[in-house]
Amino acid sequence: MLDYARARPGEAIDRVIVTVTFMRLDRKPPVVWQPLPAGALIEPARRLDVGTYRALYDRVGQPWLWWLRRMMPDDMLARLLADPAIAVHVLTVNGEPAGFFELDATYWPDINLSYFGLLPDAIGQGLGFSLLGAAIDRVFAGPVRGMTVNTCTADHPRALPNYRRAGFRITRQVNEVWDIPQRLGFTIPAHLRPGAA
């Protein structure tokens, strides 16, 4: 566990049990992505400040227990966002944020899709698969070996099927235990709690 993500001594936590699925794409798939609807645009977010990033991360990730970046200290997150190996792309619809994806080229020639998601009110509008296609196109526009991503049982139930539909293959699965501080305000789904059937 990353040091910054550890709960404080004696802090109230929610214990969460997840299965993490690691996936890989070795070449650009022969998939025809649906075009984005009128008014939708994906653009790189250059010089993204910590506050703006956190607001977007929190709004997209709240239902899916995205907690690690919420625990990351501001100075560490600022350095990460300034790193040229990190690229955040924001989806807007009629000028309003609707989702984002984050690519990490730290381990080039592989590029990792670190974060990917839509705001809750943008889910179900046919935007997700097109956004995933845009991420894949951006990765394979350059000289890369492959693209990686992981998803878990805390994510949207369509995440894993959509990655597979896009051509990703499963490389491994691991079970993890997360101790999420209750101060973050998450509602933990029953199926992720210890002892759930």
Side-chain angles (χ1 to χ4, degrees):
M1 176 59 65
L2 301 165
D3 284 341
Y4 67 79
R6 295 183 189 280
R8 300 167 186 154
E11 181 175 21
I13 57 101
D14 283 311
R15 179 151 286 175
V16 175
I17 311 293
V18 297
T19 300
V20 182
T21 300
F22 294 84
M23 309 184 81
R24 179 174 184 85
L25 187 61
D26 293 311
R27 64 188 60 82
K28 186 175 177 179
V31 177
V32 178
W33 314 110
Q34 287 289 95
L36 289 167
L41 186 64
I42 301 168
E43 292 186 306
R46 295 183 175 88
R47 294 187 286 282
L48 192 62
D49 65 84
V50 167
T52 302
Y53 178 89
R54 283 198 190 282
L56 186 59
Y57 177 92
D58 292 352
R59 289 175 65 197
V60 170
Q62 181 73 25
W64 320 117
L65 307 184
W66 288 11
W67 65 290
L68 289 178
R69 293 277 171 85
R70 291 178 69 174
M71 300 283 285
M72 183 180 279
D74 284 352
D75 60 335
M76 186 181 293
L77 182 55
R79 287 193 302 274
L80 183 142
L81 293 173
D83 187 332
I86 306 298
V88 178
H89 292 73
V90 177
L91 168 67
T92 58
V93 177
N94 299 322
E96 294 297 321
F100 80 103
F101 63 81
E102 181 179 323
L103 300 173
D104 182 352
T106 303
Y107 299 102
W108 188 88
D110 288 330
I111 296 181
N112 187 57
L113 179 59
S114 301
Y115 288 98
F116 172 88
L118 299 172
L119 270 67
D121 58 357
I123 293 172
Q125 299 181 26
L127 297 167
F129 202 61
S130 296
L131 184 62
L132 179 58
I136 292 170
D137 285 348
R138 278 163 175 74
V139 166
F140 286 96
V144 298
R145 178 174 56 195
M147 183 177 182
T148 58
V149 68
N150 67 68
T151 185
C152 73
T153 47
D155 283 337
H156 190 286
R158 292 292 309 152
L160 180 58
N162 274 335
Y163 289 132
R164 295 189 78 169
R165 178 179 162 208
F168 285 89
R169 62 182 169 81
I170 295 173
T171 58
R172 66 188 173 107
Q173 291 183 307
V174 297
N175 294 321
E176 292 185 358
V177 177
W178 299 345
D179 288 337
I180 303 178
Q182 289 181 0
R183 65 185 152 91
L184 298 180
F186 288 109
T187 300
I188 309 300
H191 74 279
L192 298 178
R193 290 189 177 277

